[in-house]
Amino acid sequence: MLASIKNIVKRYGDTVVLDNVSFEINKGEVLGLLGPNGAGKTTTIRALAGLIGIDAGDILIFNDKQHVNNLNVKKRMGLVTQEVTVFDELTAEENLKFFGGLYGLKGTELKKRVSEALEFVGLTEHAKKFPKKFSGGMSRRLNIACALVHQPEFIIMDEPTVGIDPQSRNYILESVKRLAENGTTVLYTSHYMEEVQAISTRILIMDQGHIIAGGTLKELIKRIQHEEKINITVENPSEGLTEKFKSIQGVKNVIRDGSDYIIISGAGYGNLNRVLSVAQEKGGVSNISADKPTLEDVFLTLTGKNLRDEGEK
Ligand SMILES: Nc1ncnc2c1ncn2[C@@H]1O[C@H](COP(=O)(O)OP(=O)(O)OP(=O)(O)O)[C@@H](O)[C@H]1O
């Protein structure tokens, strides 16, 4: 095991941001931490990286108790933050030299690692350029290279693909896979289902400061595979329709987005007709369908929320 996180609690004022979070990170795995904005992913990562203290619980990494500025642990890990933290006034190569230098690399070793890191993220031919000339995707790739230049055994990536073009996104996902193939352990946070699904060997789902489910993709889908999901569009939804749906026997969750409703029922209830008749009575139906759950639905079922941000496709 590479890390063990036991019952960690983090408060900001009266708000409990992490509420008894526990999980383990196994050596060599790509652990996907999936959750909506505000779930507590970044706070978990900051605590793991020793950037913030915690109010209760324990974090062990490399068998060492993590605390703020534990340099022994820090040396062996890399952190890719959500914000790009490279220097605009240094070239790509100089940025890498700077970050490598922070970890004590020098001379030919530093030169070698810098050129390897540039190659790893596909920026070799841009080595002498300044990041302010880079596209969003290139800046993010340089940001990743800066966290890798000291060849850490464990790397944490906090939503490294937010707001970038699909090509750079794929490049980053491919590089995570290559890192794992080379034996690096990766903790990867995202609110993009497809990403986590594509690269993770194991997935944790986080919401409102709690880890609410964990397992391989197969295990997570199995948890809800027998449940029933009904999508229905109601023409003129009347007051209290959500509550009315919720009162149908076997209904576990109702998610409303304007006139569109998603109704999740437990196994074997066969609620399609009941949902239809409630909707007809309370507004009129323009569309209805039932389908088999996906990983997105695992999240929906467990939290009652859509994972995507408003406005995202
Ligand atoms: N320094 C802080 N002071 C007060 N509240 C904070 C602070 N940092 C985070 N929070 C709150 O803690 C909660 C969890 O935030 P966190 O950034 O960990 O979530 P997240 O899952 O990483 O979301 P995002 O994807 O938006 O970064 C949020 O409600 C946030 O407002």
Side-chain angles (χ1 to χ4, degrees):
M1 194 203 311
L2 186 135
S4 149
I5 292 87
K6 273 208 187 115
N7 298 319
I8 61 169
V9 174
K10 178 70 187 173
R11 291 186 203 92
Y12 285 112
D14 290 338
T15 315
V16 181
V17 174
L18 298 179
D19 188 6
N20 272 299
V21 168
S22 298
F23 62 96
E24 287 174 356
I25 304 172
N26 301 313
K27 232 169 166 209
E29 74 177 341
V30 177
L31 182 62
L33 183 59
L34 183 70
N37 294 123
K41 305 182 296 295
T42 302
T43 308
T44 304
I45 280 174
R46 287 197 181 123
L48 270 174
L51 298 175
I52 55 169
I54 48 178
D55 296 304
D58 278 308
I59 299 174
L60 271 185
I61 305 182
F62 308 123
N63 278 325
D64 198 347
K65 195 173 150 87
Q66 179 63 306
H67 54 79
V68 176
N69 280 328
N70 181 341
L71 292 181
N72 287 333
V73 171
K74 241 179 194 172
K75 273 197 303 219
R76 299 170 67 182
M77 63 194 282
L79 175 65
V80 179
T81 51
Q82 243 175 62
E83 302 78 28
V84 173
T85 49
V86 299
F87 297 102
D88 275 344
E89 57 275 24
L90 301 180
T91 63
E93 189 176 63
E94 286 164 351
N95 265 288
L96 286 166
K97 279 189 180 152
F98 172 80
F99 283 100
L102 287 183
Y103 287 98
L105 296 171
K106 45 185 188 257
T108 46
E109 179 70 3
L110 176 62
K111 229 171 147 185
K112 182 167 163 267
R113 297 279 183 88
V114 166
S115 92
E116 280 169 1
L118 281 167
E119 197 184 330
F120 189 79
V121 296
L123 289 177
T124 304
E125 57 191 87
H126 304 285
K128 308 280 184 214
K129 293 184 189 157
F130 291 92
K132 63 180 159 224
K133 297 259 167 72
F134 284 2
S135 68
M138 286 163 78
S139 300
R140 284 206 171 255
R141 275 148 56 192
L142 178 59
N143 203 36
I144 292 174
C146 291
L148 291 176
V149 69
H150 62 297
Q151 295 185 332
E153 295 154 68
F154 174 38
I155 178 143
I156 299 178
M157 295 190 176
D158 193 7
E159 309 221 17
T161 59
V162 167
I164 61 170
D165 59 281
Q167 203 188 341
S168 285
R169 191 179 197 181
N170 286 340
Y171 202 99
I172 289 174
L173 296 179
E174 285 306 315
S175 43
V176 173
K177 284 190 196 159
R178 277 185 287 139
L179 279 171
E181 279 161 19
N182 296 338
T184 311
T185 305
V186 183
L187 175 63
Y188 187 96
T189 88
S190 180
H191 63 280
Y192 295 122
M193 183 73 63
E194 320 77 50
E195 285 190 358
V196 168
Q197 202 162 312
I199 60 170
S200 308
T201 40
R202 202 159 62 90
I203 299 165
L204 299 175
I205 299 181
M206 184 164 206
D207 189 37
Q208 295 182 337
H210 297 269
I211 303 287
I212 55 173
T216 60
L217 177 63
K218 221 167 153 185
E219 286 163 354
L220 287 171
I221 290 189
K222 210 168 167 194
R223 275 180 73 149
I224 63 155
Q225 166 174 75
H226 301 296
E227 294 187 344
E228 180 183 79
K229 179 184 155 199
I230 298 168
N231 304 295
I232 187 164
T233 308
V234 182
E235 271 162 14
N236 295 301
S238 60
E239 277 294 301
L241 181 56
T242 305
E243 289 314 310
K244 196 82 188 167
F245 282 141
K246 278 188 179 162
S247 68
I248 297 173
Q249 203 187 1
V251 168
K252 286 186 167 177
N253 236 324
V254 177
I255 300 103
R256 180 181 178 184
D257 179 8
S259 309
D260 296 328
Y261 292 80
I262 298 170
I263 295 141
I264 312 267
S265 299
Y269 280 95
N271 271 334
L272 195 61
N273 281 336
R274 286 183 204 101
V275 165
L276 193 58
S277 71
V278 165
Q280 271 162 347
E281 185 190 313
K282 295 272 178 186
V285 177
S286 60
N287 195 13
I288 185 163
S289 65
D291 48 31
K292 281 216 179 298
T294 62
L295 182 57
E296 185 106 36
D297 302 320
V298 175
F299 190 83
L300 211 63
T301 308
L302 294 170
T303 67
K305 280 187 297 210
N306 265 312
L307 193 55
R308 284 160 206 281
D309 292 333
E310 296 259 315
E312 273 186 315
K313 273 191 263 157

